[in-house]
Amino acid sequence: MGEQENNKTGGGNNAMAVVDEAPAAAAAKEKGRAAADPRLQGISDAIRVVPHFPKPGIMFNDITQLLLRPAVFKDAVDMFVERYRGMGIAAVAGIEARGFIFGPAIALAIGAKFIPLRKPKKLPGDVFSESYVLEYGTDCLEMHVGAIEPGERAVVVDDLVATGGTLSAAIRLLECAGADVVECACLIGLPKFKDFYKLNGKPVYILVESRK
């Protein structure tokens, strides 16, 4: 998970993300789906907001309470599985670290492989690397060479999207290996991501809005 530190009451750095608004009709359809599915309220209620953690100004969306509720955790995974089953997804790429919680479960359920996108020097052997800008510095994601084949369809998974910089880096990392990135999927997102926004031309699908 590389986005929580940018989820501030005053906004965050969007230097590495290109965000485009999708058609209003698609947004209206998505809002109707959300209103009709009672699981979303349970998911939202299970996420605790911790003010000023890990430092002042950050509103931390804590998913650990959701993980303590097996039925709600299953609902979240099931909603992603329902979306991606039958779409020919060959790989689910999870961003360290909270993308490792949801990604493997989704991958197993849809018959896809799971690819960990890790911080530097965590993967042995040859890797692809992609750097990205944070509000107060830079970071990097790495992926094993050979983890994905050219043309394979992939979904990127993380727990939260705030500015989109980490997800944009993950998209570039997969595309440098020839993958076809279909979509990014996050449990939580800022309100703007509910309305079919895109990062680097790729749709962002979230289940619930972040709360303050």
Side-chain angles (χ1 to χ4, degrees):
M1 190 283 299
E3 291 279 317
Q4 287 279 10
E5 291 197 0
N6 288 323
N7 189 22
K8 297 188 175 183
T9 55
N13 189 319
N14 199 30
M16 297 297 288
V18 178
V19 182
D20 305 311
E21 188 173 7
K29 181 178 178 181
E30 174 64 6
K31 287 181 178 179
R33 177 199 68 84
D37 197 319
R39 294 176 294 183
L40 291 172
Q41 187 61 54
I43 292 168
S44 181
D45 290 346
I47 298 166
R48 177 176 61 170
V49 178
V50 183
H52 308 300
F53 180 84
K55 54 188 178 183
I58 295 174
M59 305 298 287
F60 188 87
N61 283 254
D62 178 21
I63 66 168
T64 60
Q65 300 303 302
L66 180 148
L67 302 178
L68 294 174
R69 305 181 189 181
V72 182
F73 186 14
K74 182 178 185 299
D75 282 345
V77 172
D78 285 350
M79 291 191 73
F80 287 123
V81 170
E82 289 162 14
R83 182 170 181 83
Y84 298 117
R85 181 181 284 134
M87 290 180 61
I89 304 299
V92 175
I95 295 174
E96 187 173 353
R98 293 179 181 88
F100 295 178
I101 296 172
F102 297 95
I106 297 167
L108 284 173
I110 66 174
K113 57 187 172 184
F114 176 73
I115 300 175
L117 306 182
R118 303 214 62 184
K119 297 299 178 66
K121 303 185 185 303
K122 296 290 186 68
L123 294 172
D126 295 332
V127 297
F128 293 109
S129 297
E130 184 65 42
S131 297
Y132 58 100
V133 176
L134 297 172
E135 190 166 2
Y136 300 110
T138 61
D139 210 337
C140 180
L141 289 176
E142 294 186 342
M143 175 183 70
H144 271 134
V145 172
I148 195 162
E149 298 297 325
E152 286 189 320
R153 290 165 59 83
V155 170
V156 181
V157 174
D158 203 357
D159 69 326
L160 181 143
V161 54
T163 67
T166 308
L167 287 175
S168 293
I171 292 168
R172 295 194 302 272
L173 184 63
L174 288 158
E175 288 183 337
C176 80
D180 176 12
V181 178
V182 174
E183 191 166 84
C184 297
C186 294
L187 183 74
I188 311 163
L190 294 185
K192 67 181 180 181
F193 288 105
K194 282 295 285 185
D195 294 337
F196 276 85
Y197 275 75
K198 295 185 177 182
L199 291 174
N200 293 8
K202 304 299 180 181
V204 179
Y205 176 72
I206 69 167
L207 295 188
V208 298
E209 294 181 9
S210 60
R211 293 183 290 119
K212 296 182 179 180

